[in-house]
Amino acid sequence: ITVRAGTVDDHREVASLRYRMDTEDDSPSGSPADFAATFDQWLDRHGDAWEFFVAEDDGHLIGMLWLAKVPRIPRPSNPCPPPIGYVTAFFVEERYRNVGVGQALLTAMNSAAEQLPYETLVVWPSERAASAYHRAGFHPPEELFERPILHS
C-alpha cells in the first residue's frame, strides 16, 4: 500500500471514494456519474485551496484525506501569519480499515502540514475516526468556539 499526495489524475477515483464515503451514512441523491460531474465542477472552482492524500493498493485508490488551506489576515505584529488547515473527507475502504492505512494518511498529511507550515489543523471528526485523529496528535481545542448554522 502506497500513501502519497493526490494529483489531478486521481480526481475521478477520489470522486468515487467521496460518493462511497457519503453513502455509508446517507442515501445518495444521485448516481455516481452525476456526482462525479458535480465533483469535477467543484474542483474547478475550489481545487486550488485544497490538497489531498491518497492510499493506493495495486493502482487502485483505497483511501483519501483532504486538507484545505485557510489563509489568515495579516497583523502588524505578524504580516505573514501561517494558514490554518481544515481537515475533512477522511475515508478508507472498509476492507482496509484497522490495518494502518488511515494512520498512514494522517502521517502524510501531518508531514505536509509541518513543511508549509500551518499554524494549526482543525477537524470535526466522526465518532468512528476520532481515535485515529487522537493517535495522530489531534486533541480537543482549548480556544475554539463553534456556532452551527441551522438551515430549514
Side-chain angles (χ1 to χ4, degrees), residues 61-122:
L61 296 189
I62 59 164
M64 66 178 178
L65 180 62
W66 287 73
L67 176 62
K69 181 172 30 173
V70 181
R72 295 178 50 228
I73 298 171
R75 300 171 57 143
S77 60
N78 187 356
C80 296
I84 292 170
Y86 167 58
V87 181
T88 192
F90 182 21
F91 178 75
V92 175
E93 287 185 357
E94 188 170 4
R95 66 186 171 135
Y96 291 94
R97 292 179 189 160
N98 301 312
V99 295
V101 175
Q103 203 62 41
L105 284 164
L106 285 163
T107 298
M109 182 206 54
N110 278 340
S111 293
E114 290 164 3
Q115 295 302 311
L116 187 57
Y118 285 82
E119 179 176 290
T120 192
L121 302 178
V122 296

Side-chain angles (χ1 to χ4, degrees), residues 8-20:
V8 68
D9 294 333
D10 298 318
H11 287 177
R12 187 63 62 175
E13 277 193 90
V14 293
S16 176
L17 288 172
R18 180 64 174 144
Y19 186 87
R20 286 183 282 155

Side-chain angles (χ1 to χ4, degrees), residues 25-49:
D25 298 322
D26 295 309
S27 298
S29 61
S31 72
D34 291 341
F35 179 73
T38 299
F39 195 79
D40 283 344
Q41 292 170 0
W42 177 84
L43 280 170
D44 286 345
R45 288 190 313 274
H46 306 288
D48 290 343

